[in-house]
Amino acid sequence: MTRRLAAAVVAAAVVLGACQQPPAATPRPTAGSGPVVADGPGWRGVSVDGPVPAPGTCHYGGSSTAPLPDPSCTPGAVDAAVTQSTLAQTLCRSGGYTASVRPPQAVTDAYKKLARAAYSSTGSSASDELDHLVPLGLGGASSAQNLWPEPNVGDPRQYDRRATGGANAKDGVESRLNRAVCSGEVTLAAAQAAVATRWDTAETVLGVAP
């Protein structure tokens, strides 16, 4: 084999190898940079997706009346299937969307125990709820990155005079932001980012009218 032919063979092998390399993984947001994009609704089978934080490694922020999750444990996560262009078919349809993507109670009950251990939650399990940081009504996913044991404090009507249910103040924010997104007052992406960053100031940041 001549030197020129050998060089050509090597070059061809390099090009072929490059073509066979798998595509680079899509970068995921790091903690504090916004919600993670989940692969689907965030759960499958009998468990939620994503790594479970180790016991005692997550810490509450905020205040006693407006607790916030630890962004390194719970940055928030959204379902890739819910976008601005699919609102009419997903979270803004007449009814049934959240029930269609919510995990069975057996799945959430099992994960709540793990989440409470990660956050060192004390007292009765009924004193907090396994909350979706980005709510299902805003396209949130039911993955480990979006679930945290939220203390049941505050009145939902503090943020939403129309709120008739809910166990805490954040529930009022969730219902109002859902209406704001579905009415076109704010975009889905803006609402998701605001609530994942700080749910208690999300409406102010977005300029949602009271």
Side-chain angles (χ1 to χ4, degrees):
M1 181 183 293
T2 66
R3 183 175 300 176
R4 180 177 298 177
L5 179 58
V9 171
V10 171
V14 170
V15 171
L16 180 60
C19 293
Q20 292 177 336
Q21 292 299 313
T26 302
R28 297 299 191 190
T30 56
S33 65
V36 172
V37 179
D39 296 323
W43 65 279
R44 64 199 73 197
V46 296
S47 62
V48 303
D49 296 340
V52 180
T57 58
C58 306
H59 307 282
Y60 290 106
S63 65
S64 60
T65 57
L68 300 173
D70 188 330
S72 65
C73 296
T74 318
V78 297
D79 186 340
V82 183
T83 65
Q84 193 70 33
S85 63
T86 65
L87 290 179
Q89 294 77 44
T90 55
L91 60 89
C92 297
R93 72 193 194 197
S94 58
Y97 168 73
T98 57
S100 72
V101 295
R102 188 183 299 277
Q105 186 174 346
V107 173
T108 54
D109 284 351
Y111 187 74
K112 184 176 182 180
K113 295 178 181 178
L114 301 176
R116 297 190 85 234
Y119 275 84
S120 302
S121 299
T122 59
S124 168
S125 178
S127 64
D128 52 51
E129 70 167 88
L130 186 64
D131 176 69
H132 291 78
L133 178 58
V134 180
L136 294 179
L138 289 179
S142 297
S143 63
Q145 294 124 322
N146 198 44
L147 296 171
W148 65 298
E150 180 196 8
N152 285 322
V153 295
D155 188 334
R157 291 169 294 181
Q158 174 184 351
Y159 295 92
D160 183 3
R161 290 190 296 273
R162 294 168 55 179
T164 57
N168 52 61
K170 183 173 180 286
D171 291 333
V173 174
E174 295 175 359
S175 60
R176 284 188 49 152
L177 290 185
N178 171 269
R179 293 199 299 270
V181 167
C182 291
S183 68
E185 186 177 352
V186 299
T187 66
L188 174 64
Q192 290 174 335
V195 77
T197 301
R198 281 198 63 148
W199 67 263
D200 58 330
T201 61
E203 292 177 290
T204 301
V205 169
L206 296 168
V208 175

